[in-house]
Coordinates of all heavy atoms in Angstrom, one line a residue:
M1443 N 0.8 -1.2 0.0 CA 0.0 0.0 0.0 C 0.9 1.2 0.0 O 1.9 1.3 0.7 CB -0.9 0.0 1.2 CG -2.0 1.0 1.1 SD -3.0 0.9 2.7 CE -2.6 2.5 3.3
H1444 N 0.5 2.2 -0.8 CA 1.2 3.4 -0.8 C 0.8 4.3 0.4 O -0.4 4.6 0.6 CB 1.0 4.2 -2.1 CG 1.7 5.4 -2.2 ND1 3.1 5.4 -2.5 CD2 1.4 6.7 -2.1 CE1 3.5 6.7 -2.5 NE2 2.5 7.5 -2.3
I1445 N 1.8 4.7 1.1 CA 1.5 5.6 2.3 C 1.6 7.0 1.9 O 2.6 7.4 1.2 CB 2.5 5.3 3.4 CG1 2.3 3.8 3.9 CG2 2.2 6.2 4.6 CD1 3.4 3.3 4.8
K1446 N 0.7 7.8 2.3 CA 0.6 9.2 1.9 C 1.8 9.9 2.4 O 2.3 9.7 3.5 CB -0.6 9.8 2.5 CG -1.3 10.8 1.5 CD -2.6 11.3 2.1 CE -3.0 12.6 1.4 NZ -4.1 13.3 2.1
N1447 N 2.3 10.9 1.7 CA 3.4 11.7 2.1 C 4.7 11.0 2.2 O 5.6 11.5 3.0 CB 3.1 12.5 3.4 CG 2.1 13.6 3.1 OD1 2.0 14.1 2.0 ND2 1.3 13.9 4.1
E1448 N 4.9 9.9 1.6 CA 6.2 9.2 1.6 C 7.0 9.8 0.5 O 6.6 10.1 -0.6 CB 6.1 7.7 1.3 CG 5.9 7.0 2.6 CD 6.3 5.5 2.4 OE1 6.4 5.1 1.3 OE2 6.5 4.9 3.5
R1449 N 8.3 10.0 0.8 CA 9.2 10.5 -0.2 C 10.5 9.7 -0.2 O 10.9 9.1 0.8 CB 9.6 12.0 0.1 CG 8.4 12.9 0.1 CD 7.9 13.1 -1.3 NE 6.9 14.1 -1.4 CZ 5.6 13.8 -1.3 NH1 5.2 12.6 -1.1 NH2 4.7 14.8 -1.3
R1450 N 11.2 9.7 -1.3 CA 12.4 8.9 -1.4 C 13.7 9.8 -1.1 O 13.8 10.8 -1.7 CB 12.6 8.3 -2.8 CG 13.8 7.5 -2.9 CD 13.9 6.8 -4.2 NE 13.0 5.6 -4.2 CZ 13.0 4.7 -5.2 NH1 13.8 4.8 -6.2 NH2 12.2 3.7 -5.1
C1451 N 14.5 9.2 -0.2 CA 15.7 9.9 0.1 C 16.7 9.8 -1.0 O 16.9 8.8 -1.6 CB 16.3 9.3 1.4 SG 17.9 9.8 1.9
V1452 N 17.4 10.9 -1.3 CA 18.4 10.9 -2.4 C 19.7 10.2 -2.0 O 20.4 9.8 -2.8 CB 18.8 12.4 -2.8 CG1 17.6 13.1 -3.4 CG2 19.5 13.1 -1.7
A1453 N 19.8 9.9 -0.7 CA 21.0 9.2 -0.2 C 20.8 7.7 -0.1 O 21.4 6.9 -0.8 CB 21.5 9.8 1.1
C1454 N 19.9 7.3 0.8 CA 19.7 5.9 1.0 C 18.7 5.3 0.1 O 18.5 4.1 0.0 CB 19.3 5.6 2.5 SG 17.7 6.3 3.0
R1455 N 17.9 6.1 -0.6 CA 16.9 5.6 -1.6 C 15.7 4.9 -0.9 O 15.0 4.2 -1.6 CB 17.6 4.7 -2.6 CG 18.7 5.4 -3.4 CD 18.3 5.6 -4.8 NE 19.1 6.6 -5.5 CZ 18.6 7.4 -6.4 NH1 17.4 7.4 -6.7 NH2 19.4 8.3 -6.9
E1456 N 15.6 5.1 0.4 CA 14.4 4.5 1.0 C 13.3 5.5 1.0 O 13.5 6.7 1.1 CB 14.8 4.1 2.4 CG 15.6 2.8 2.5 CD 16.0 2.5 4.0 OE1 15.2 2.9 4.9 OE2 17.1 2.0 4.2
N1457 N 12.1 4.9 1.0 CA 10.9 5.8 1.1 C 10.6 6.0 2.6 O 10.5 5.0 3.3 CB 9.7 5.2 0.4 CG 9.9 5.1 -1.1 OD1 10.4 6.1 -1.7 ND2 9.6 4.0 -1.7
K1458 N 10.4 7.2 2.9 CA 10.1 7.5 4.3 C 9.0 8.6 4.4 O 8.8 9.3 3.4 CB 11.3 8.0 5.1 CG 12.4 7.0 5.1 CD 13.4 7.2 6.2 CE 14.4 6.0 6.2 NZ 15.5 6.2 7.1
Q1459 N 8.5 8.8 5.6 CA 7.5 9.8 5.8 C 8.2 11.2 5.6 O 9.3 11.4 6.1 CB 7.0 9.7 7.3 CG 6.0 8.6 7.5 CD 4.7 8.8 6.7 OE1 4.0 9.8 6.9 NE2 4.4 7.9 5.8
Q1460 N 7.5 12.0 4.9 CA 8.0 13.4 4.6 C 8.5 14.1 5.9 O 9.5 14.8 5.9 CB 6.9 14.2 4.0 CG 7.3 15.5 3.4 CD 6.1 16.2 2.8 OE1 5.1 16.5 3.4 NE2 6.3 16.6 1.5
N1461 N 7.7 13.9 7.0 CA 8.1 14.6 8.2 C 9.5 14.3 8.8 O 10.0 15.0 9.6 CB 7.1 14.3 9.3 CG 5.7 15.0 9.0 OD1 5.6 15.8 8.1 ND2 4.7 14.6 9.8
D1462 N 10.0 13.1 8.4 CA 11.3 12.7 8.9 C 12.4 13.2 7.9 O 13.6 12.8 8.1 CB 11.4 11.2 9.0 CG 10.5 10.7 10.0 OD1 10.2 11.4 11.0 OD2 10.0 9.5 9.9
M1463 N 12.0 14.0 6.9 CA 13.0 14.3 5.9 C 13.1 15.8 5.7 O 12.3 16.6 6.1 CB 12.5 13.7 4.6 CG 12.2 12.2 4.7 SD 11.8 11.5 3.2 CE 13.5 11.0 2.6
L1464 N 14.2 16.2 5.1 CA 14.5 17.5 4.8 C 14.2 17.7 3.3 O 14.6 16.9 2.5 CB 16.0 17.8 5.1 CG 16.6 19.2 5.1 CD1 15.9 20.0 6.2 CD2 18.1 19.1 5.4
R1465 N 13.5 18.8 3.0 CA 13.2 19.0 1.6 C 14.0 20.2 1.1 O 14.1 21.2 1.8 CB 11.7 19.4 1.4 CG 11.3 19.6 -0.1 CD 9.9 19.9 -0.3 NE 9.5 19.7 -1.7 CZ 9.3 20.8 -2.5 NH1 9.4 22.0 -2.1 NH2 9.0 20.6 -3.8
I1466 N 14.6 20.0 -0.1 CA 15.3 21.1 -0.7 C 14.5 21.4 -2.0 O 14.2 20.5 -2.8 CB 16.7 20.7 -1.1 CG1 17.6 20.5 0.2 CG2 17.4 21.8 -1.9 CD1 17.5 19.1 0.7
A1467 N 14.2 22.7 -2.1 CA 13.4 23.1 -3.2 C 14.2 24.0 -4.2 O 15.1 24.7 -3.8 CB 12.2 24.0 -2.7
K1468 N 13.9 23.8 -5.5 CA 14.5 24.6 -6.5 C 13.5 25.4 -7.1 O 12.5 24.9 -7.7 CB 15.2 23.7 -7.5 CG 15.8 24.4 -8.7 CD 16.5 23.4 -9.6 CE 17.2 24.2 -10.8 NZ 16.5 24.1 -12.0
I1469 N 13.6 26.7 -7.0 CA 12.6 27.7 -7.6 C 13.4 28.7 -8.3 O 14.3 29.4 -7.8 CB 11.8 28.3 -6.4 CG1 11.1 27.2 -5.6 CG2 10.8 29.3 -7.0 CD1 10.6 27.7 -4.3
N1470 N 13.1 28.8 -9.6 CA 13.8 29.8 -10.4 C 15.3 29.8 -10.3 O 16.0 30.8 -10.1 CB 13.3 31.3 -10.1 CG 11.8 31.4 -10.4 OD1 11.3 30.8 -11.3 ND2 11.2 32.3 -9.6
D1471 N 15.8 28.5 -10.4 CA 17.3 28.3 -10.3 C 17.9 28.7 -9.0 O 19.1 28.8 -8.8 CB 18.0 29.0 -11.4 CG 17.7 28.4 -12.8 OD1 17.5 27.1 -12.8 OD2 17.7 29.1 -13.8
E1472 N 17.1 29.0 -8.0 CA 17.6 29.2 -6.6 C 17.2 28.0 -5.7 O 16.2 27.4 -6.0 CB 17.0 30.5 -6.0 CG 17.4 31.7 -6.7 CD 18.8 32.2 -6.3 OE1 19.3 31.8 -5.3 OE2 19.3 33.1 -7.1
F1473 N 18.1 27.7 -4.8 CA 17.8 26.5 -3.9 C 17.5 27.0 -2.5 O 18.0 28.0 -2.0 CB 19.0 25.6 -3.9 CG 19.2 24.9 -5.2 CD1 20.0 25.5 -6.1 CD2 18.5 23.7 -5.5 CE1 20.2 24.9 -7.4 CE2 18.7 23.1 -6.7 CZ 19.5 23.7 -7.7
Y1474 N 16.5 26.3 -1.9 CA 16.0 26.7 -0.5 C 15.9 25.4 0.3 O 15.5 24.4 -0.2 CB 14.7 27.4 -0.6 CG 14.7 28.6 -1.5 CD1 14.4 28.5 -2.8 CD2 15.0 29.9 -0.9 CE1 14.4 29.7 -3.7 CE2 14.9 31.0 -1.7 CZ 14.7 30.9 -3.1 OH 14.7 32.0 -3.9
I1475 N 16.1 25.6 1.6 CA 15.7 24.5 2.5 C 14.2 24.7 2.8 O 13.8 25.8 3.4 CB 16.5 24.6 3.8 CG1 18.0 24.6 3.6 CG2 16.1 23.4 4.7 CD1 18.6 23.4 2.9
D1476 N 13.4 23.8 2.5 CA 11.9 23.9 2.6 C 11.4 23.2 3.8 O 11.0 22.1 3.8 CB 11.3 23.3 1.3 CG 9.8 23.5 1.3 OD1 9.3 24.2 2.1 OD2 9.2 22.9 0.4
Q1477 N 11.6 23.9 5.0 CA 11.3 23.3 6.2 C 9.8 22.9 6.4 O 9.5 22.0 7.1 CB 11.7 24.2 7.4 CG 13.2 24.1 7.7 CD 13.5 25.0 8.9 OE1 13.5 26.2 8.8 NE2 13.7 24.3 10.0
K1478 N 8.9 23.7 5.8 CA 7.5 23.4 6.0 C 6.9 22.7 4.8 O 5.7 22.5 4.7 CB 6.8 24.7 6.2 CG 7.4 25.6 7.3 CD 6.4 26.0 8.3 CE 7.0 26.8 9.4 NZ 6.9 26.2 10.7
Y1479 N 7.7 22.3 3.8 CA 7.2 21.5 2.7 C 6.2 22.3 1.9 O 5.2 21.7 1.4 CB 6.6 20.2 3.1 CG 7.5 19.4 4.1 CD1 7.0 19.3 5.4 CD2 8.7 18.9 3.8 CE1 7.8 18.6 6.4 CE2 9.5 18.2 4.7 CZ 9.0 18.1 6.0 OH 9.8 17.4 6.9
K1480 N 6.3 23.6 1.8 CA 5.3 24.4 1.2 C 5.8 25.3 0.1 O 5.0 26.0 -0.5 CB 4.6 25.3 2.2 CG 3.6 24.5 3.1 CD 2.9 25.4 4.1 CE 1.9 24.6 4.9 NZ 1.5 25.2 6.1
L1481 N 7.1 25.2 -0.2 CA 7.6 26.1 -1.2 C 7.3 25.8 -2.6 O 7.4 26.6 -3.5 CB 9.2 26.2 -1.0 CG 9.7 26.9 0.2 CD1 11.2 27.0 0.2 CD2 9.1 28.3 0.4
G1482 N 6.9 24.6 -2.9 CA 6.7 24.2 -4.3 C 8.0 24.1 -5.0 O 9.0 23.8 -4.5
G1483 N 7.9 24.2 -6.3 CA 9.0 24.0 -7.2 C 9.4 22.6 -7.3 O 8.7 21.7 -6.8
R1484 N 10.6 22.3 -7.8 CA 11.1 21.0 -7.8 C 11.7 20.7 -6.4 O 12.3 21.5 -5.8 CB 12.2 20.8 -8.8 CG 11.7 20.3 -10.1 CD 12.8 19.7 -11.0 NE 13.4 18.5 -10.4 CZ 14.1 17.6 -11.1 NH1 14.3 17.8 -12.3 NH2 14.6 16.5 -10.5
G1485 N 11.5 19.5 -6.0 CA 12.0 19.1 -4.6 C 12.9 17.9 -4.6 O 12.7 17.0 -5.4
A1486 N 13.8 17.8 -3.7 CA 14.5 16.6 -3.4 C 14.5 16.4 -1.9 O 14.5 17.4 -1.1 CB 16.0 16.8 -3.8
Y1487 N 14.5 15.2 -1.5 CA 14.4 14.9 0.0 C 15.6 14.1 0.5 O 16.1 13.2 -0.2 CB 13.1 14.0 0.2 CG 11.8 14.8 0.0 CD1 11.3 15.0 -1.3 CD2 11.2 15.4 1.1 CE1 10.2 15.7 -1.5 CE2 10.0 16.1 0.9 CZ 9.5 16.2 -0.4 OH 8.3 16.9 -0.6
I1488 N 15.9 14.4 1.8 CA 17.0 13.6 2.4 C 16.5 13.4 3.9 O 15.9 14.2 4.5 CB 18.3 14.5 2.5 CG1 18.6 15.1 1.2 CG2 19.4 13.6 3.1 CD1 19.6 16.3 1.4
C1489 N 16.8 12.1 4.3 CA 16.5 11.8 5.7 C 17.3 12.8 6.6 O 18.4 13.1 6.3 CB 16.9 10.4 6.1 SG 16.3 9.1 5.0
K1490 N 16.6 13.2 7.7 CA 17.4 14.0 8.7 C 18.2 13.1 9.6 O 18.1 13.1 10.8 CB 16.4 14.8 9.6 CG 15.7 15.9 8.8 CD 14.8 16.6 9.8 CE 13.7 17.5 9.1 NZ 12.7 17.9 10.0
E1491 N 19.1 12.4 9.0 CA 20.0 11.5 9.7 C 21.4 11.7 9.2 O 21.6 12.0 8.1 CB 19.6 10.0 9.4 CG 18.4 9.6 10.1 CD 18.0 8.1 9.8 OE1 18.9 7.4 9.4 OE2 16.8 7.8 9.9
K1492 N 22.3 11.6 10.2 CA 23.7 11.9 9.9 C 24.2 11.1 8.7 O 24.8 11.7 7.8 CB 24.5 11.5 11.1 CG 25.9 12.1 11.1 CD 26.6 11.8 12.4 CE 28.1 12.3 12.5 NZ 28.8 12.7 11.3
K1493 N 23.9 9.8 8.6 CA 24.5 9.1 7.5 C 24.0 9.6 6.1 O 24.8 9.6 5.2 CB 24.2 7.6 7.7 CG 22.8 7.1 7.5 CD 22.7 5.6 7.7 CE 21.2 5.2 7.8 NZ 20.6 5.0 6.5
C1494 N 22.7 9.9 6.0 CA 22.2 10.4 4.8 C 22.7 11.8 4.4 O 23.1 12.1 3.3 CB 20.7 10.3 4.8 SG 20.1 8.7 4.8
I1495 N 22.8 12.6 5.4 CA 23.2 14.0 5.2 C 24.7 14.0 4.8 O 25.1 14.7 3.9 CB 22.9 14.9 6.4 CG1 21.4 15.1 6.4 CG2 23.7 16.2 6.4 CD1 20.9 15.9 7.6
D1496 N 25.5 13.2 5.6 CA 26.9 13.1 5.3 C 27.1 12.6 3.8 O 28.0 13.2 3.1 CB 27.6 12.1 6.2 CG 27.9 12.7 7.6 OD1 27.7 14.0 7.7 OD2 28.4 12.0 8.5
L1497 N 26.4 11.6 3.5 CA 26.5 11.0 2.1 C 26.1 12.0 1.0 O 26.8 12.2 0.0 CB 25.7 9.8 2.0 CG 25.9 8.9 0.8 CD1 27.3 8.3 0.8 CD2 24.9 7.8 0.6
C1498 N 25.1 12.7 1.3 CA 24.6 13.8 0.4 C 25.6 14.8 0.2 O 25.9 15.2 -1.0 CB 23.3 14.4 0.9 SG 22.7 15.7 -0.1
I1499 N 26.2 15.3 1.3 CA 27.2 16.3 1.2 C 28.5 15.8 0.5 O 29.1 16.4 -0.4 CB 27.6 16.9 2.6 CG1 26.3 17.6 3.1 CG2 28.7 17.8 2.5 CD1 26.4 18.0 4.6
K1500 N 28.9 14.6 0.9 CA 30.2 14.1 0.4 C 30.1 13.8 -1.1 O 31.0 14.1 -1.9 CB 30.5 12.8 1.1 CG 31.9 12.3 1.0 CD 32.1 11.1 2.0 CE 32.8 9.9 1.2 NZ 32.6 8.7 1.9
K1501 N 29.0 13.2 -1.5 CA 28.9 12.9 -2.9 C 28.1 13.9 -3.7 O 27.8 13.7 -4.9 CB 28.1 11.5 -3.1 CG 28.9 10.4 -2.3 CD 28.7 9.1 -3.1 CE 29.7 8.1 -2.5 NZ 29.7 6.8 -3.3
R1502 N 27.8 15.0 -3.1 CA 27.0 16.1 -3.8 C 25.8 15.5 -4.5 O 25.6 15.8 -5.7 CB 28.0 16.9 -4.7 CG 29.2 17.4 -3.9 CD 30.1 18.3 -4.7 NE 29.5 19.6 -4.9 CZ 29.5 20.6 -4.0 NH1 30.1 20.4 -2.8 NH2 29.0 21.7 -4.3
L1503 N 25.0 14.8 -3.8 CA 23.9 14.1 -4.4 C 22.8 15.1 -4.9 O 22.0 14.7 -5.8 CB 23.3 13.1 -3.4 CG 24.2 11.9 -3.1 CD1 23.6 11.1 -2.0 CD2 24.5 11.1 -4.3
L1504 N 22.8 16.3 -4.4 CA 21.7 17.2 -4.9 C 22.1 17.6 -6.3 O 21.1 17.9 -7.1 CB 21.7 18.4 -4.0 CG 21.1 18.2 -2.6 CD1 21.1 19.5 -1.8 CD2 19.7 17.6 -2.6
N1505 N 23.3 17.6 -6.7 CA 23.7 18.0 -8.0 C 23.1 17.0 -9.0 O 22.6 17.3 -10.1 CB 25.2 17.9 -8.2 CG 25.9 19.1 -7.5 OD1 25.4 19.6 -6.6 ND2 27.1 19.4 -7.9
R1506 N 23.1 15.7 -8.5 CA 22.5 14.6 -9.3 C 21.0 14.7 -9.4 O 20.4 14.6 -10.4 CB 23.0 13.3 -8.8 CG 22.8 12.1 -9.7 CD 23.3 10.8 -9.1 NE 24.7 10.9 -8.7 CZ 25.3 10.0 -7.9 NH1 24.6 8.9 -7.5 NH2 26.6 10.1 -7.6
A1507 N 20.4 15.0 -8.2 CA 19.0 15.0 -8.1 C 18.4 16.2 -9.0 O 17.4 16.0 -9.6 CB 18.5 15.2 -6.7
F1508 N 19.1 17.3 -9.0 CA 18.6 18.4 -9.7 C 19.2 18.6 -11.1 O 18.9 19.5 -11.9 CB 18.8 19.7 -8.9 CG 17.9 19.8 -7.7 CD1 18.4 19.7 -6.4 CD2 16.5 20.0 -7.9 CE1 17.6 19.8 -5.3 CE2 15.7 20.2 -6.7 CZ 16.2 20.0 -5.5
R1509 N 20.2 17.8 -11.4 CA 20.9 17.8 -12.6 C 21.5 19.2 -12.9 O 21.5 19.7 -14.0 CB 20.0 17.4 -13.8 CG 19.7 15.9 -13.7 CD 18.9 15.5 -14.9 NE 18.4 14.1 -14.6 CZ 17.3 13.6 -15.2 NH1 16.6 14.3 -16.0 NH2 17.0 12.4 -14.9
T1510 N 22.1 19.8 -11.8 CA 22.7 21.0 -12.0 C 23.7 21.2 -10.8 O 23.6 20.4 -9.9 CB 21.7 22.2 -12.1 OG1 22.4 23.4 -12.3 CG2 20.9 22.3 -10.8
N1511 N 24.5 22.2 -10.9 CA 25.4 22.5 -9.8 C 24.7 23.2 -8.6 O 24.2 24.3 -8.8 CB 26.6 23.3 -10.3 CG 27.7 23.4 -9.2 OD1 28.1 22.3 -8.6 ND2 28.2 24.5 -9.0
V1512 N 24.7 22.6 -7.5 CA 24.1 23.2 -6.3 C 25.2 23.8 -5.4 O 26.2 23.1 -5.2 CB 23.3 22.1 -5.5 CG1 22.7 22.7 -4.2 CG2 22.2 21.5 -6.3
S1513 N 25.1 25.0 -5.0 CA 26.2 25.7 -4.4 C 26.5 25.1 -3.0 O 25.7 24.6 -2.4 CB 25.8 27.2 -4.3 OG 24.9 27.4 -3.3
Q1514 N 27.8 25.3 -2.7 CA 28.3 24.8 -1.4 C 27.5 25.3 -0.2 O 27.3 24.6 0.8 CB 29.8 25.2 -1.2 CG 30.4 24.6 0.0 CD 30.3 23.1 0.1 OE1 30.6 22.4 -0.9 NE2 30.0 22.6 1.3
S1515 N 27.0 26.5 -0.3 CA 26.2 27.1 0.8 C 25.0 26.3 1.1 O 24.6 26.2 2.3 CB 25.9 28.6 0.5 OG 25.0 28.7 -0.6
I1516 N 24.4 25.7 0.1 CA 23.2 24.9 0.4 C 23.7 23.6 1.1 O 23.0 23.2 2.1 CB 22.5 24.5 -0.9 CG1 21.9 25.8 -1.6 CG2 21.4 23.4 -0.7 CD1 20.8 26.5 -0.7
Y1517 N 24.8 23.0 0.7 CA 25.3 21.8 1.4 C 25.6 22.2 2.8 O 25.4 21.4 3.8 CB 26.5 21.2 0.7 CG 26.1 20.5 -0.6 CD1 26.2 21.1 -1.9 CD2 25.5 19.2 -0.5 CE1 25.9 20.4 -3.0 CE2 25.1 18.5 -1.7 CZ 25.3 19.1 -2.9 OH 24.9 18.5 -4.1
D1518 N 26.2 23.3 3.0 CA 26.5 23.7 4.4 C 25.3 23.8 5.3 O 25.3 23.4 6.4 CB 27.2 25.1 4.4 CG 28.6 25.0 3.8 OD1 29.2 23.9 3.7 OD2 29.2 26.1 3.5
K1519 N 24.2 24.4 4.7 CA 23.0 24.5 5.4 C 22.4 23.1 5.8 O 21.9 22.9 6.9 CB 21.9 25.3 4.6 CG 22.1 26.8 4.7 CD 20.9 27.5 4.0 CE 21.3 28.9 3.7 NZ 20.5 29.5 2.6
I1520 N 22.4 22.2 4.8 CA 21.9 20.9 5.1 C 22.7 20.2 6.3 O 22.1 19.6 7.1 CB 22.1 20.0 3.8 CG1 21.1 20.5 2.7 CG2 21.8 18.5 4.1 CD1 21.4 19.9 1.4
G1521 N 24.0 20.5 6.3 CA 24.8 19.9 7.4 C 24.3 20.3 8.8 O 24.4 19.6 9.8
E1522 N 23.7 21.5 8.8 CA 23.2 22.0 10.1 C 21.9 21.2 10.6 O 21.6 21.3 11.8 CB 22.8 23.4 10.0 CG 24.0 24.3 9.8 CD 23.6 25.8 9.4 OE1 22.4 26.1 9.6 OE2 24.5 26.5 8.9
Y1523 N 21.3 20.4 9.8 CA 20.2 19.6 10.2 C 20.5 18.2 10.6 O 19.6 17.4 10.9 CB 19.2 19.6 9.0 CG 18.5 20.9 8.8 CD1 19.1 21.8 7.9 CD2 17.3 21.2 9.4 CE1 18.5 23.1 7.7 CE2 16.7 22.4 9.2 CZ 17.3 23.4 8.3 OH 16.7 24.6 8.1
E1524 N 21.8 17.9 10.7 CA 22.1 16.6 11.1 C 21.7 16.2 12.5 O 21.8 17.0 13.4 CB 23.7 16.5 11.1 CG 24.2 15.8 9.9 CD 25.7 15.6 10.1 OE1 26.2 15.6 11.2 OE2 26.4 15.5 9.0
K1525 N 21.2 15.0 12.6 CA 20.8 14.5 13.9 C 21.6 13.3 14.2 O 21.7 12.5 13.3 CB 19.3 14.2 14.0 CG 18.4 15.3 14.3 CD 17.0 14.7 14.6 CE 15.9 15.7 14.4 NZ 14.6 15.1 14.2
D1526 N 22.0 13.1 15.4 CA 22.7 11.9 15.7 C 21.7 10.8 16.2 O 21.3 10.8 17.3 CB 23.7 12.1 16.8 CG 24.9 12.9 16.3 OD1 25.5 12.4 15.3 OD2 25.3 13.9 16.8
N1527 N 21.3 9.9 15.3 CA 20.5 8.8 15.7 C 20.6 7.7 14.6 O 20.9 7.9 13.5 CB 19.0 9.2 16.0 CG 18.4 9.9 14.8 OD1 19.0 10.0 13.7 ND2 17.2 10.5 15.0
Ligands
ZN360 ZN1 18.1 8.4 3.7

């Protein structure tokens, strides 16, 4: 059964509840951390877990998800959402 509001993490590729994830939105070629999931635009999701965030930053997975170069400042911001669990 498909569970509502599930999204796929760009790092571990597992489907998880949106609330457990960080959304990055691309709007008019600018990137934003979409904390309330309301910005629209194109989105990519990452689990708010150290392993996924680390992998995303290390491999620059957002570049792949959005097929464009995502600036370092966005990766820096994502790093601030790391949780140890
Ligand atoms: Zn993940």
Side-chain angles (χ1 to χ4, degrees):
M1443 195 182 111
H1444 182 75
I1445 300 168
K1446 222 178 160 189
N1447 290 330
E1448 270 202 345
R1449 297 292 184 268
R1450 178 173 286 189
C1451 172
V1452 297
C1454 66
R1455 301 248 163 215
E1456 285 176 32
N1457 291 316
K1458 300 204 177 172
Q1459 286 292 302
Q1460 190 181 54
N1461 289 348
D1462 295 330
M1463 309 185 87
L1464 194 60
R1465 182 177 194 259
I1466 293 87
K1468 177 176 183 258
I1469 301 161
N1470 298 329
D1471 290 328
E1472 295 281 345
F1473 292 91
Y1474 303 89
I1475 308 293
D1476 184 6
Q1477 281 185 283
K1478 309 232 180 242
Y1479 315 109
K1480 283 182 177 165
L1481 291 182
R1484 263 198 70 158
Y1487 290 83
I1488 312 160
C1489 307
K1490 289 181 196 166
E1491 286 179 24
K1492 190 172 181 348
K1493 68 179 172 80
C1494 291
I1495 287 175
D1496 280 354
L1497 192 68
C1498 176
I1499 294 169
K1500 196 171 133 201
K1501 300 214 166 186
R1502 304 187 73 82
L1503 294 175
L1504 292 179
N1505 292 20
R1506 199 177 301 170
F1508 289 109
R1509 292 182 187 154
T1510 185
N1511 188 49
V1512 177
S1513 73
Q1514 183 59 44
S1515 65
I1516 294 298
Y1517 285 102
D1518 290 344
K1519 276 185 200 161
I1520 291 167
E1522 293 169 13
Y1523 288 87
E1524 257 184 27
K1525 271 192 208 164
D1526 287 306
N1527 55 9

